[in-house]
Amino acid sequence: MTSLHTTRVRRRRLGVAAAAAGLIATLLTAGPAAATPDPGDTPATSSGVSVSQKAEATAAIKSGEIPGVDEIVHSDNITHLANVPKDALKGTNSDLVFQGKYAFSGNYDGFRIFDISNPKRPRTVAQVLCPGSQNDISVSGDLLFLSTDSSRSDNSCASTTQPATEKTSWEGMKVFDISDKRNPKYVAAVETACGSHTHTIIPERKNIYVYVSSYSPNETFPDCQPPHDGISVIKVPRSAPEEARIVNFPVLFPDGGNPGAPANPGVSKTTGCHDITVLPSKDLAAGACMGDGLLFSIEDPENPKIIDRVQDNVNFAFWHSATFNQGADKVVFTDELGGGGAATCNDEVGPKRGADGIYDIIGRGDHRKLVFRSYFKIDRPQADTEVCVAHNGSIIPVKGRDLMVQAWYQGGVSVWDFTNSSKPKEIAFFERGPVSTEAVTTAGPWSAYYYNGYIYSNDIAKGFDVLRLDDRRTDPAKKVRMQELNVQTQPDYFDR
């Protein structure tokens, strides 16, 4: 029986950080000159708290209700194998992707490549300095894709911040050649309207399609004008990535999308999409688009077609990301309440906001509908100084079960079961205590993904973590081996 120390009994120390050995950082500049990261490329990391909030956090630690500052706790079925702190790239850690024995870690200052052939001792292969938040990352074959969603002076890795009100400013997609993992080469760039907050690739034999998600247009921004009601579609020839170009900008919200406040108080107005997950084996995609959730067909990747659209104007503030189950009859949407900068895992916010929304997909073809079933949110208490909200996760591939591992910022890593859409439950967890009891601090896992038998987590502040999950419910997944994993390009794990 697995013991989950999820309430006040978590006083005993259940884990110790393991230092990864043999780190030799190779700092590469992927542009004509070295660049110094600008403060404007990283989000605000902390804000003050009241005397009472500080006192409450201190008391919760003392009573054992929450772990101590930076203390590691986890369920008995989780083992913490390794932690690799930040090195040359000091910015915010963001997303993760995988290829063979390598993990690629996005960072607001660039990206880092790890050799994970021994998960207990990840080794740094390269660190590429290329500032431009948030550096969302994907790989396919010899190509790596990087999103720039901060206004830059040009498209090089030596760029500096520049106001979006200036016509010469640049935001968009960068493409690298990673055939030599120790020496990635910057080969192409494509400017996109409103930049690229995230992106999703659809890999084909000759071409790679890139769906670029961005939002928040402004009449004062020459390259980001309202209405911004769609996504940019980029076509990248594998044999000539320098010829990458935009081939379409499909309108996803012809009616303008969710109007937000005042019609729907507390809900984000839809002015684009935050993130899209595709399931190429089923020609399906799910879009998390600020105030709306989408289901659409990608049978023609250059011309995606909307199948269904849903809103939750009671409990969802910002539709952030999406995950299909393996059977493609469910979608988990996440709500990034507070924009990833607020403490939302507490009694005041409650169990239905800043959570996951589980939707069943009912019907066939173009008549399929998204039907809400339930919410899932971690019930382990978090201090009011801990930024905590539903964030990026992936399926754990087990036939007959719907299992997911997910990042919750300072709520840590959660493994949960949504086989019964109406009764999701947590089955494992890993987390650190507050980074601080003095201020509300952005930290904790940005992404937590299952790859070839292990959970890999990119902690915003603490670096790269490796976890092993040993549980009869998840152990069959250890037999599933992937050569490449971009979580937002969701694979069919059992029909390859």
Side-chain angles (χ1 to χ4, degrees), residues 132-182:
S133 67
Q134 56 186 8
N135 279 339
D136 193 45
I137 191 168
S138 295
V139 294
S140 183
D142 289 338
L143 298 179
L144 179 147
F145 302 87
L146 209 62
S147 285
T148 300
D149 192 36
S150 60
S151 187
R152 312 295 300 179
S153 57
D154 56 49
N155 65 7
S156 77
C157 288
S159 68
T160 57
T161 56
Q162 182 168 291
T165 52
E166 295 189 22
K167 178 61 179 171
T168 58
S169 296
W170 186 90
E171 299 179 62
M173 289 298 310
K174 298 185 177 99
V175 185
F176 292 78
D177 183 323
I178 54 168
S179 53
D180 179 357
K181 301 295 188 293
R182 295 185 177 276

Side-chain angles (χ1 to χ4, degrees), residues 1 138 257 277 300 431 472 494:
M1 186 65 134
S138 295
T277 292
D300 177 358
E431 71 164 287
R472 58 179 175 75
F494 303 113

Side-chain angles (χ1 to χ4, degrees), residues 25 36 43-44 54 75 146 188-189 195 240-241 247 259 286 290 335 339 386 464 470:
T36 302
K54 178 182 175 181
S75 53
L146 209 62
V247 293
M290 303 182 73
D335 172 26
E386 294 182 278
F464 183 71
D470 296 298

